[in-house]
Amino acid sequence: MCGIVGFIGNKEKKDVVLSGLKELEYRGYDSAGMAVLNDEEIRYFKAVGKLENLANKMQDESFLGFGVAIGHTRWATHGKPTEINAHPHLGEHSFVVHNGIIENYAELKDELIKEGVHFASQTDTEVIVHLFELNLKQGLDAKSAWEATIARLRGAYATLLISKTAPGVIFFAKDAAPLAIAKDSAGEIFFASSDAALIGVAKEVLYLEDKSHGFASLGEIKIYSANGEIKPAFTALPPDKSYAQKEGYRYFMEKEIYEQSSVIADALMGRIKGSEVVLEGVSDELLGEIDEIILCACGTSYHAALVAGYLFERVARVRCKIAIASEFRYSEPVLNERSLFIAISQSGETADTLEALKIAKAANLKSLAICNVDNSSMVRLADASLLTRAGIEKGVASTKAFATQIITLWLFVLRLASFKGTLRGEALEREITAIKHIPSVLNIGNELQEKIRRISKHYLHGHGFFFIGRDVFYPLALEGALKLKEISYLHAEGYPAGEMKHGPIALADERLFCVVLMPKNLLYEKVKSNAQELAARDANILAISPDEFELSDDFIRTSAQTHYMAEFFEMMMVLQIFALEVSIRLGNDVDMPRNLAKSVTVE
Ligand code: G6P
């Protein structure tokens, strides 16, 4: 979610780091910083907001001559986007940058505080630099101190550290977050969390494996895995920058679809301890006052609200109302002070949702923002907030933001359900196992996309689409139809499968496309009869299910799962890819569809 860079050499370090960070800014930019170690003197600079604020601050600085430098552009997960919380984090004589989440930071922080360490920031990252310096104080040399530090970290990290005790060296480590080392023709060394920052700068690259660490200095790179030293094997860097930003995908939307497994893992990280859900900022006091939930949002976020509505009632047994923000605003709603108002928004700036939140606050309701952008207007206004940790979403058609909203809301449902005692023991454990399993459900291979790509050619004409499903698969049908509308400009509607017979079935003929969501773990037989009714009227059926539906014209097989939410997420990805492939065939601009905007700050 953040971007990191590092450099060892003689070039102007300010320029190398700033231009590297510029290439990574698309990953997150609520603050940025860098530290430079030249001639045993360390200096650092940090600024809140976009990278240009950091560049302006450093306008009169120059760092020529041999030295090392590290830089970071941040997308907040722990702690507000302030200058103190911006990386690099400092100890007494060392600096660290980090991308990922240290899950056991609270435990490490307690230990370090007992040793007399003072913490400046609210971040998880700061433990790394203090642990390293404590290890030095206890007599270890710098390399052993680094190894002892890494051995204590749990979670995800790509991290770089520089220290006055070892001038000319960058210490690095990587597990479950990307990190690459590169060299130019002069042998100068570069680090980056994506090769987007290395292309055009360095000649060859080495992508570090998980659970590796090491030390780099000019002329020497030592890399170690759990099994001992690894011989560095560099490969040539690809030539095209825009290709690199999209990490090889043709469109940002496509990249974001495939990122969903890893951003969901980020959204879960540190929020489940054993069979307990632990959510920062959600106190028992907040939960104790709730006897109703109001979920409010726009667009795709509204569909996430609809999904959550089923979960709140079924799992947490709390009454739930779901409102479209632009409707809620003017409906003169009757509000009860014991309702919790949840605003859901990727951007945190959507005008209608923000106004709805203000109305709820004015009526004395407690409020929670489920949001992807820290320090956004909604996060600042709500009593509590939960960040969805999707990283920047560039495609206008939302994908990974939707997926992480649902995961975050599901976590909140589980927290509330165990607090209220509506879910305990084995039932709670089953839900926890199910939610933890979602990242692996979304690790989908190329064959599925290839199959959808082939099928998509049947769906370029006709007189419209109905996407149908029941229960949580009904809002998923709405979302599938919205995705298709947004980027293909074809007419599509989402409908509750059981409601087709009350009107829309009149449209059924051989040119009506019906995309039917048929999960095995929820109301399979019911949806099947609805699909049979449509097939009997000659509608074209695209069935999505683990079990083949004999009346379908096209069929996409999903995997056999034991929880309906696992089926939900896999089908979500199928629908996103389906919209993408139809749009590509029609020659549309997938990432910037006509007439739409990523963030709508007007009514
Ligand atoms: C716009 C976007 C949609 C998004 C909606 C709500 O219409 O194009 O993708 O779902 O706004 O945005 P929010 O930032 O509040 O989730």
Side-chain angles (χ1 to χ4, degrees):
M1 275 175 282
C2 310
I4 62 178
V5 295
F7 175 64
I8 308 174
N10 289 294
K11 290 193 185 71
E12 170 56 80
K13 275 153 280 301
K14 180 177 84 175
D15 295 348
V16 173
V17 171
L18 284 177
S19 61
L21 291 180
K22 185 82 209 144
E23 294 299 332
L24 300 177
E25 211 182 6
Y26 72 93
R27 293 177 159 247
Y29 51 71
D30 57 43
S31 54
M34 78 163 80
V36 186
L37 172 57
N38 254 13
D39 293 333
E40 301 197 9
E41 189 203 6
I42 294 200
R43 299 201 42 215
Y44 72 98
F45 307 86
K46 299 184 184 195
V48 171
K50 288 203 159 194
L51 192 60
E52 64 192 61
N53 298 348
L54 178 66
N56 290 340
K57 230 178 181 173
M58 297 184 69
Q59 214 168 358
D60 302 323
E61 304 290 342
S62 170
F63 298 97
L64 272 165
F66 178 72
V68 297
I70 53 176
H72 188 270
T73 164
R74 177 168 188 253
W75 184 261
T77 55
H78 286 75
K80 296 274 162 213
T82 58
E83 209 166 295
I84 293 272
N85 287 336
H87 299 215
H89 291 286
L90 53 146
E92 287 169 21
H93 47 79
S94 318
F95 284 80
V96 72
V97 291
H98 161 230
N99 176 15
I101 295 170
I102 306 297
E103 282 193 48
N104 59 337
Y105 85 100
E107 167 196 332
L108 294 172
K109 192 167 175 173
D110 284 349
E111 265 179 46
L112 287 158
I113 288 171
K114 281 191 196 119
E115 295 287 339
V117 172
H118 168 73
F119 278 79
S121 76
Q122 299 156 307
T123 66
D124 51 334
T125 302
E126 202 183 334
V127 297
I128 304 175
V129 70
H130 294 308
L131 203 52
F132 173 76
E133 292 193 345
L134 184 67
N135 289 332
L136 285 176
K137 274 192 193 139
Q138 290 175 344
L140 296 181
D141 62 38
K143 291 179 180 175
S144 315
W146 182 240
E147 288 185 324
T149 303
I150 299 310
R152 297 293 314 279
L153 305 182
R154 301 277 168 275
Y157 51 82
T159 178
L160 303 176
L161 178 139
I162 58 176
S163 175
K164 268 167 116 172
T165 44
V169 179
I170 289 186
F171 298 86
F172 58 88
K174 177 235 186 302
D175 193 17
L179 185 61
I181 314 181
K183 290 193 287 190
D184 66 8
S185 41
E188 294 190 318
I189 297 169
F190 302 79
F191 287 87
S193 45
S194 154
D195 56 15
L198 302 169
I199 290 166
V201 177
K203 280 241 155 348
E204 40 181 19
V205 68
L206 183 159
Y207 299 93
L208 287 163
E209 296 292 329
D210 278 346
K211 300 198 190 309
S212 61
H213 73 275
F215 329 96
S217 53
L218 222 49
E220 187 178 51
I221 300 174
K222 292 268 189 197
I223 305 174
Y224 303 87
S225 73
N227 304 322
E229 191 167 348
I230 301 169
K231 202 169 164 307
F234 283 82
T235 52
L237 269 164
D240 175 1
K241 258 188 203 294
S242 68
Y243 176 88
Q245 272 213 346
K246 292 180 193 142
E247 288 166 10
Y249 292 103
R250 296 164 292 175
Y251 300 95
F252 281 107
M253 182 189 174
E254 190 178 29
K255 173 170 99 62
E256 287 156 5
I257 289 172
Y258 281 94
E259 260 172 27
Q260 292 179 112
S261 166
S262 81
V263 293
I264 285 181
D266 286 341
L268 291 171
M269 199 172 286
R271 288 171 166 174
I272 295 174
K273 305 254 153 74
S275 49
E276 205 190 329
V277 174
V278 185
L279 295 175
E280 66 281 2
V282 174
S283 60
D284 284 358
E285 190 197 342
L286 181 81
L287 301 178
E289 290 167 7
I290 301 175
D291 63 14
E292 181 193 56
I293 303 243
I294 302 175
L295 295 151
C296 190
C298 302
T300 288
S301 301
Y302 169 68
H303 296 157
L306 289 173
V307 174
Y310 287 94
L311 301 178
F312 275 115
E313 298 219 333
R314 174 172 299 130
V315 183
R317 310 301 299 154
V318 181
R319 189 170 55 242
C320 200
K321 286 187 190 147
I322 303 120
I324 290 184
S326 56
E327 286 298 310
F328 180 86
R329 284 178 72 171
Y330 301 107
S331 63
E332 298 173 34
V334 179
L335 297 172
N336 140 28
E337 288 188 16
R338 288 182 63 85
S339 304
L340 173 70
F341 184 90
I342 305 185
I344 307 167
S345 172
Q346 187 282 128
S347 60
E349 304 296 344
T350 303
D352 287 320
T353 315
L354 188 58
E355 282 309 311
L357 175 58
K358 287 181 189 163
I359 292 170
K361 288 214 60 148
N364 281 331
L365 270 66
K366 285 264 179 302
S367 57
L368 171 71
I370 304 285
C371 192
N372 193 30
V373 184
D374 200 358
N375 228 22
S376 57
S377 303
M378 285 181 221
V379 168
R380 280 183 274 128
L381 190 63
D383 298 317
S385 58
L386 284 172
L387 294 178
T388 51
R389 303 179 180 168
I392 287 189
E393 191 177 59
K394 280 210 157 184
V396 166
S398 182
T399 52
K400 62 176 182 168
F402 175 68
T404 53
Q405 283 169 345
I406 294 172
I407 283 289
T408 311
L409 284 158
W410 187 6
L411 281 170
F412 184 76
V413 168
L414 298 182
R415 167 83 169 90
L416 180 60
S418 59
F419 174 81
K420 289 177 50 128
T422 55
L423 197 65
R424 39 170 106 91
E426 267 178 40
L428 176 61
E429 270 166 36
R430 254 199 315 279
E431 288 286 306
I432 297 279
T433 309
I435 199 168
K436 279 167 55 181
H437 176 56
I438 303 302
S440 66
V441 174
L442 292 184
N443 242 329
I444 283 172
N446 290 341
E447 319 77 59
L448 181 73
Q449 184 160 5
E450 185 44 32
K451 162 102 185 172
I452 298 172
R453 195 190 64 73
R454 274 189 286 112
I455 286 181
S456 65
K457 63 176 175 285
H458 306 153
Y459 296 91
L460 309 179
H461 309 289
H463 63 74
F465 285 79
F466 274 93
F467 286 66
I468 62 169
R470 283 175 177 253
D471 204 278
V472 292
F473 294 85
Y474 159 50
L476 183 59
L478 289 172
E479 177 59 10
L482 181 64
K483 285 294 87 87
L484 189 71
K485 271 189 274 227
E486 286 178 314
I487 60 175
S488 75
Y489 319 141
L490 296 173
H491 182 80
E493 275 187 69
Y495 229 79
E499 189 65 11
M500 288 297 283
K501 57 186 173 289
H502 298 294
I505 204 164
L507 295 173
D509 65 17
E510 71 289 352
R511 290 189 308 134
L512 181 76
F513 296 132
C514 294
V515 180
V516 190
L517 304 177
M518 305 174 74
K520 284 298 282 182
N521 290 286
L522 198 64
L523 301 169
Y524 177 76
E525 294 300 333
K526 303 278 174 204
V527 188
K528 193 172 167 184
S529 338
N530 301 139
Q532 279 160 344
E533 288 153 17
L534 284 160
R537 272 104 190 149
D538 237 5
N540 229 288
I541 309 280
L542 166 54
I544 306 175
S545 179
D547 271 10
E548 184 139 15
F549 174 54
E550 61 281 5
L551 298 178
S552 63
D553 296 273
D554 279 315
F555 173 65
I556 297 172
R557 189 185 300 280
T558 48
S559 56
Q561 297 289 344
T562 52
H563 195 288
Y564 66 92
M565 287 305 286
E567 300 195 271
F568 174 97
F569 279 99
E570 189 176 352
M571 290 187 188
M572 171 200 76
M573 202 153 154
V574 168
L575 296 180
Q576 293 165 343
I577 297 172
F578 178 72
L580 175 92
E581 291 297 342
V582 170
S583 168
I584 293 173
R585 278 188 190 273
L586 293 171
N588 298 342
D589 184 341
V590 170
D591 285 333
M592 270 184 274
R594 71 185 186 201
N595 306 341
L596 300 179
K598 186 74 197 156
S599 174
V600 183
T601 51
V602 291
E603 263 199 69

